[in-house]
Amino acid sequence: MSSQNEKNELITVIVAAWNEEKFIGRCIRSLLAQTFEKEKFKIIVVNDASTDLTSYALELFKEDITVIQNDHNIGLPASINKAIKDVKSRYFVRVDADDYVSKYFLQFLYMFVTENSYMDAVACDYNEINDKGYAISRRNCFESPIACGIIFCTDDIIDLGMYDESFLLHEERDLRIRFLKKHNIFRLELSLYRYRKHSGGMTNDDEAMEIHLKKLHLKHNLD
């Protein structure tokens, strides 16, 4: 992408993918269908050494996305940090590779955060969906926070030291705790994000979740 285009970019969307051949296509198509001007945002996909057909799926979108290819699997937070270091825009937002978004996702998040100077970051509500793409329930992003669907100022996250790469799970909770010590997050009461709940998700590994939760509590002295 040319330097002139980089100057025009207002938002970067970061997608980290590991073995997401089933879902990555829909994720990217939803981002390419945004009402936000195409020249004003960039999509960075980090392929974390997938062993399935994720690489082939990404090749289908090569004209519209930037792919960072990891030679070996480094984990979710390290992959996201790798992308953040490549961000040239003032803002970025994460979208998981197995999720997808409303066509108004970027437009409304960007409008909300830029029209309200006192807002450091903005999170939108979301719908939980199943493997077939059917909505299960609507969620309040403050009552049931997730890692994605939050527009951040890139410099704020870099100043925090980005994601703690030792948290292979709960990385978003660790970041949020550190972020809220200096900044604020506001809620956009629109369901603009589609969060997939399925049996193959990392968050269904109860033992690993518990290990990282204990680590989180120890790091931040949580009760």
Side-chain angles (χ1 to χ4, degrees), residues 95-216:
V95 174
D96 276 348
D98 55 348
D99 299 336
Y100 60 98
V101 296
S102 160
K103 65 181 180 179
Y104 302 110
F105 177 67
L106 294 180
Q107 180 182 349
F108 286 179
L109 282 176
Y110 181 78
M111 184 183 298
F112 211 65
V113 75
T114 56
E115 290 291 330
N116 299 287
S117 59
Y118 57 91
M119 297 183 179
D120 297 324
V122 175
C124 65
D125 286 351
Y126 62 95
N127 285 350
E128 286 188 347
I129 58 171
N130 60 22
D131 280 346
K132 295 182 179 180
Y134 294 123
I136 302 170
S137 61
R138 174 172 170 160
R139 295 291 186 181
N140 177 319
C141 64
F142 275 13
E143 294 176 356
S144 304
I146 56 175
C148 300
I150 309 173
I151 189 167
F152 287 110
C153 181
T154 307
D155 286 345
D156 288 345
I157 300 302
I158 291 175
D159 289 345
L160 283 180
M162 301 183 288
Y163 286 88
D164 185 335
E165 297 180 8
S166 68
F167 281 92
L168 298 181
L169 293 165
H170 294 305
E171 85 290 336
E172 81 287 355
R173 294 185 64 181
D174 170 70
L175 182 78
R176 186 183 290 256
I177 290 170
R178 290 185 285 124
F179 184 83
L180 289 175
K181 289 179 180 179
K182 295 184 176 181
H183 307 287
N184 56 54
I185 301 175
F186 281 80
R187 177 188 174 204
L188 176 55
E189 296 182 43
L190 289 173
S191 182
L192 301 174
Y193 193 91
R194 309 293 179 256
Y195 176 70
R196 193 178 300 275
K197 295 280 287 184
H198 56 84
S199 57
M202 291 179 62
T203 54
N204 288 308
D205 186 338
D206 292 337
E207 183 177 355
M209 288 288 284
E210 184 62 26
I211 290 172
H212 283 83
L213 182 60
K214 289 179 179 178
K215 184 177 178 180
L216 185 76

Side-chain angles (χ1 to χ4, degrees), residues 42-104:
K42 178 178 182 178
I43 303 168
I44 298 178
V45 180
V46 185
N47 184 6
D48 194 17
S50 297
T51 57
D52 64 356
L53 295 178
T54 296
S55 295
Y56 172 76
L58 293 177
E59 185 70 15
L60 301 176
F61 301 97
K62 64 181 180 181
E63 301 299 324
D64 297 300
I65 65 175
T66 296
V67 176
I68 297 175
Q69 179 66 48
N70 291 343
D71 294 330
H72 60 279
N73 186 271
I74 63 175
L76 178 62
S79 293
I80 299 167
N81 284 347
K82 202 170 184 180
I84 291 174
K85 293 173 185 176
D86 198 49
V87 171
K88 304 297 190 298
S89 58
R90 181 177 180 185
Y91 297 99
F92 81 90
V93 60
R94 277 181 60 186
V95 174
D96 276 348
D98 55 348
D99 299 336
Y100 60 98
V101 296
S102 160
K103 65 181 180 179
Y104 302 110

